[in-house]
Amino acid sequence: MDNRIKKILINWKLQDSSIKQVYETAWQAGESYILKEYRDLKMLKRNLEIINILDKMNIPVGKIIPPALKDKNIQYIEDEGSFYFLSQKLPGCHLTETEDVKNTAFKIGMVIARLHAAFKICEENGTFWNNSLLGEMNGWVKKNFEDSGWKYISLGEYEETVSKLECLYDDLPIQLIHRDVHLGNFLFDGREFSGYIDFDLSQKNIRIFDICYFLAGILSEEEKIKISGEQWFGFVGGCF
């Protein structure tokens, strides 16, 4: 694996750097860079477009480092069916614990709000994929529940939920959203927020989806911060 990644890093003249795999499709090169691999070129280009716009707005994201090519407009390289780009490594790490739930919730609420405000400006400077949560609920989401035999929710409960969403859907604000808001995509340097990462799924959709997705994630076992049900309601109030 290291030999393959070193071969890719030749394009940035970083082949002699130390390499540490930080995710299934991401590697740290030396102390200052992150190399990320994609199989989906559209997803990569979406991520690059948003990072470039946010970077110009001085929003904390990992600045893209172009490969050492004559054409400085090229920001990624292709190798054996995969696509790679290099960015500066942001300071900080993922939040894994908190001593003050209310204060942490307030900070994260501000982090999400600032990103949504920046995304409104992004919309004026790029072309982004339009999607509909309601359409997904009536499409692939429902099919997945059907395929599981309605193991996690009954058909009646699901249809009631979709019906309630339909009643208010047209009144919900729609804009560019992150679509994958969880603590793994926010970085903190000590107690201070230091940056946003991973805009692979970003799309135009109902804005509240980001908020609901994040809060649902806090309740799931996937997030490393463990809070009780009572603390969670306090977390919701602290965020919003």
Side-chain angles (χ1 to χ4, degrees), residues 94-100 104 183 224-226:
H94 305 142
L95 194 65
T96 58
E97 60 182 20
T98 178
E99 297 178 357
D100 185 341
T104 300
L183 292 176
K224 294 182 179 180
I225 288 185
K226 303 302 179 185

Side-chain angles (χ1 to χ4, degrees), residues 136-137 139-155 158-159 161-162:
E136 290 182 310
M137 293 290 285
W140 69 266
V141 176
K142 184 176 183 180
K143 184 178 185 306
N144 282 354
F145 280 123
E146 288 174 343
D147 292 344
S148 71
W150 298 101
K151 179 180 178 181
Y152 303 103
I153 186 173
S154 71
L155 174 59
Y158 187 82
E159 289 180 338
T161 299
V162 174

Side-chain angles (χ1 to χ4, degrees), residues 35-212:
L35 179 75
K36 191 166 182 184
E37 176 185 16
Y38 285 79
R39 288 284 181 174
D40 186 326
L41 181 57
K42 288 183 179 179
M43 189 176 289
L44 176 144
K45 287 183 174 180
R46 182 187 307 140
N47 195 15
L48 291 181
E49 180 177 16
I50 292 175
I51 290 174
N52 283 321
I53 294 174
L54 292 177
D55 181 47
K56 290 177 182 177
M57 295 167 59
N58 294 317
I59 302 297
V61 292
K63 184 184 291 289
I64 305 301
I65 309 298
L69 302 172
K70 291 182 179 179
D71 188 347
K72 298 302 181 182
N73 293 319
I74 295 176
Q75 293 191 312
Y76 64 90
I77 63 104
E78 180 180 1
D79 186 81
E80 297 182 2
S82 288
F83 306 91
Y84 301 85
F85 79 87
L86 189 80
S87 63
Q88 288 184 346
K89 181 180 180 295
L90 290 165
C93 57
H94 305 142
L95 194 65
T96 58
E97 60 182 20
T98 178
E99 297 178 357
D100 185 341
V101 170
K102 186 174 181 179
N103 186 50
T104 300
F106 179 78
K107 283 185 178 181
I108 293 176
M110 290 294 292
V111 165
I112 296 174
R114 287 169 181 162
L115 181 61
H116 282 168
F119 272 160
K120 290 291 290 182
I121 298 174
C122 277
E123 290 181 9
E124 302 171 4
N125 295 279
T127 302
F128 303 101
W129 171 38
N130 287 290
N131 198 12
S132 165
L133 175 62
L134 183 59
E136 290 182 310
M137 293 290 285
N138 285 316
W140 69 266
V141 176
K142 184 176 183 180
K143 184 178 185 306
N144 282 354
F145 280 123
E146 288 174 343
D147 292 344
S148 71
W150 298 101
K151 179 180 178 181
Y152 303 103
I153 186 173
S154 71
L155 174 59
E157 289 172 325
Y158 187 82
E159 289 180 338
E160 180 182 358
T161 299
V162 174
S163 177
K164 289 180 178 179
L165 181 61
E166 286 177 336
C167 289
L168 53 83
Y169 197 83
D170 289 341
D171 295 325
L172 297 174
I174 294 174
Q175 67 159 82
L176 182 64
I177 64 171
H178 188 284
R179 183 52 176 80
D180 194 22
V181 172
H182 58 80
L183 292 176
N185 283 331
F186 297 153
L187 298 178
F188 285 81
D189 191 7
R191 295 184 178 182
E192 299 303 318
F193 175 71
S194 58
Y196 304 96
I197 61 174
D198 290 347
F199 302 97
D200 304 353
L201 301 179
S202 293
Q203 58 190 245
K204 284 188 177 180
N205 210 322
I206 54 174
R207 183 174 62 205
I208 200 171
F209 179 91
D210 271 352
I211 299 168
C212 295

Side-chain angles (χ1 to χ4, degrees), residues 11-22:
N11 294 278
W12 287 271
K13 299 181 180 180
L14 292 172
Q15 65 273 17
D16 295 326
S17 302
S18 61
I19 298 172
K20 180 173 82 170
Q21 189 162 10
V22 294

